[in-house]
Amino acid sequence: MEASKKDIRALEKEELQHFFQQHKAPSFKGTQVYQWLWQKGVHNFDLMTNLSLDHRELLKQHFEIKHINIDQQQRSSDGTIKNAVQLHDKLVVESVLIPTSKRITACVSSQVGCSLDCVFCATAALKRMRNLNADEIYDQVVAMDQQSNYYFERPLSNIVFMGMGEPLMNYKNVLEAIDKITHPEGLGMSPKRITLSTSGIPKMIRKMADDQVKFGLAVSLHSARQEVREQIMPFATKFPLSELSEALTHWYEYTKKQITFEYVVWEGVNDQKEDIQALVKLCRQIPSKVNLIQYNAIDNSSMKQAPKEVIDAYIHALTQARIKVTYRRSRGEDIAAACGQLANKLEAQGKGAINI
Ligand code: SAH
């Protein structure tokens, strides 16, 4: 019997309503269960107190609730919290909660490992094991919202898909999760507070635009020169910059949303005048802003962030061209929670999980 139980969270609201009808119960019971699962984030049928004991029993006979567990937690001296998230099949991903005075941002994973091969990213060294389900993505957000309330007495304000994995290689589940995050019967968050970060998969960027998504788009560009980008993001041979910029133009035409380019400047990689000029040229073609990111060193890598003068030269050239540019300092470096450092290497200093 145990083996045949279905994960109740794989069911749509209509399917839950239908289930109750089939069992001679009113369909609104299905709506109530849906709300317990998605709005209130309950992981136990016995907590669904507006259901009769018989109905709870019925659910237990047919379903189980698969959910994530925060296995381990590490806190950075800057307040950042890194969570090791254990999935029902014992695989682990990481998610990071980043507090600032203005916002509290949850950085969410979309895959276990990653199939892309960016040479500067620690996650790239992990094999892609599988895509996360929509509920596994959603659960990370719920867990971090609870942490945010617990530690900082404020709800989450923003979500970024910048954790492990490439969200556009798990498009359906990521969109389904965002649907639940933004739906009034879910967390009811505004899509304007959500940013999806992609390494740049043209076909999927077009699809997102055609699907009229309402969240923001960030693209990990790192170079506007094809030959340089191929060196640091080898998959870019399959997805050349020419196609990427066409897809981004399509995105802007359909969504009227500016794109954020994420960009790290490395010594000896993209620190030349031509690199800066190429970026300015691309930003002139595509309505965009640039987020310069501090490089977070990873094991076995000889890459080094370029000196301040080069970063300043980028900032100067972009500003002159009236392109908005920000420089982002890393958060959570001391616990390997910063961009590109997520690799499931949890040290013993973890403080253990809070029970939420
Ligand atoms: N696959 C998605 C999301 C995950 S990476 C993407 O590529 O956008 C999130 C961000 O961290 C990306 O902008 C990525 O380029 C950046 N990043 C990866 N490794 C990094 C490192 N070592 N230092 C700084 N940023 C890094």
Side-chain angles (χ1 to χ4, degrees):
M1 183 71 199
E2 193 67 27
S4 64
K5 283 188 191 177
K6 267 202 193 157
D7 178 10
I8 192 164
R9 300 204 306 168
L11 268 60
E12 300 288 338
K13 187 162 76 180
E14 292 69 30
E15 293 173 303
L16 284 169
Q17 292 168 340
H18 185 64
F19 171 83
F20 278 100
Q21 276 172 341
Q22 274 180 325
H23 290 85
K24 317 249 173 306
S27 64
F28 76 86
K29 289 282 149 202
T31 313
Q32 287 176 333
V33 171
Y34 190 84
Q35 286 168 348
W36 282 113
L37 292 173
W38 298 109
Q39 203 168 42
K40 299 175 188 136
V42 155
H43 292 161
N44 181 341
F45 292 119
D46 286 324
L47 296 177
M48 300 184 178
T49 46
N50 56 5
L51 299 189
S52 68
L53 289 178
D54 285 350
H55 284 154
R56 289 183 221 168
E57 213 39 56
L58 180 70
L59 290 175
K60 283 184 214 170
Q61 276 165 21
H62 287 82
F63 302 109
E64 59 182 331
I65 306 176
K66 289 186 183 162
H67 59 86
I68 62 162
N69 281 308
I70 306 285
D71 195 34
Q72 205 180 1
Q73 209 183 67
Q74 288 174 276
R75 294 194 72 186
S76 159
S77 53
D78 67 17
T80 300
I81 299 175
K82 179 164 83 169
N83 297 297
V85 176
Q86 194 180 59
L87 310 171
H88 67 87
D89 54 5
K90 305 292 178 216
L91 290 172
V92 174
V93 292
E94 292 175 341
S95 27
V96 184
L97 184 68
I98 309 154
T100 65
S101 54
K102 284 203 203 117
R103 359 170 122 176
I104 302 202
T105 304
C107 176
V108 177
S109 289
S110 56
Q111 296 183 310
V112 187
C114 189
S115 57
L116 301 181
D117 46 10
C118 305
V119 298
F120 47 82
C121 178
T123 310
L126 306 173
K127 215 171 85 193
R128 191 204 75 105
M129 306 291 284
R130 69 170 173 86
N131 284 341
L132 296 192
N133 301 329
D135 52 87
E136 291 169 329
I137 298 168
Y138 180 81
D139 280 358
Q140 294 175 60
V141 176
V142 172
M144 283 189 279
D145 188 43
Q146 290 171 349
Q147 278 178 348
S148 181
N149 283 308
Y150 181 89
Y151 286 114
F152 308 109
E153 290 165 10
R154 288 179 282 162
L156 269 187
S157 60
N158 295 74
I159 299 171
V160 292
F161 282 82
M162 294 186 191
M164 300 168 108
E166 168 49 51
L168 293 190
M169 297 234 170
N170 185 15
Y171 185 75
K172 185 174 155 285
N173 294 348
V174 166
L175 254 70
E176 210 179 302
I178 293 178
D179 231 38
K180 294 220 156 73
I181 293 165
T182 52
H183 200 282
E185 274 181 332
L187 290 181
M189 272 182 83
S190 163
K192 291 195 186 115
R193 296 179 169 277
I194 301 175
T195 304
L196 184 148
S197 173
T198 175
S199 52
I201 299 165
K203 195 172 106 196
M204 300 313 292
I205 292 172
R206 281 175 178 274
K207 175 150 176 55
M208 268 197 301
D210 295 341
D211 287 345
Q212 301 180 339
V213 302
K214 299 280 181 284
F215 49 81
L217 176 63
V219 174
S220 302
L221 187 69
H222 303 306
S223 176
R225 296 170 64 195
Q226 179 63 18
E227 65 277 21
V228 176
R229 200 162 187 263
E230 280 176 17
Q231 280 170 27
I232 49 178
M233 304 170 89
F235 67 88
T237 46
K238 274 194 287 177
F239 307 119
L241 275 171
S242 51
E243 273 179 39
L244 179 58
S245 53
E246 275 168 28
L248 293 175
T249 304
H250 180 84
W251 161 274
Y252 186 76
E253 271 170 18
Y254 281 74
T255 66
K256 292 287 171 269
K257 278 180 192 293
Q258 232 188 21
I259 291 130
T260 302
F261 286 127
E262 295 160 282
Y263 202 103
V264 176
V265 189
W266 290 279
E267 207 170 85
V269 175
N270 53 359
D271 57 356
Q272 298 299 306
K273 266 207 190 92
E274 301 93 280
D275 297 298
I276 301 180
Q277 282 162 355
L279 178 61
V280 169
K281 189 167 166 223
L282 184 68
C283 292
R284 281 197 166 127
Q285 283 163 10
I286 299 164
S288 53
K289 56 185 180 189
V290 175
N291 192 356
L292 295 172
I293 310 177
Q294 183 188 322
Y295 174 55
N296 303 304
I298 58 165
D299 291 352
N300 307 324
S301 169
S302 54
M303 292 176 91
K304 232 175 102 186
Q305 161 133 337
K308 185 171 175 300
E309 303 82 76
V310 182
I311 312 270
D312 286 344
Y314 265 96
I315 295 175
H316 180 74
L318 289 163
T319 312
Q320 285 259 302
R322 296 181 194 284
I323 296 153
K324 201 172 159 220
V325 53
T326 49
Y327 179 66
R328 188 169 86 203
R329 283 195 22 247
S330 292
R331 302 292 308 270
E333 266 178 300
D334 54 342
I335 53 166
C339 273
Q341 292 187 317
L342 302 184
N344 291 346
K345 283 194 304 184
L346 282 159
E347 286 102 72
Q349 79 217 50
K351 293 204 170 174
I354 47 167
N355 282 322
I356 46 177

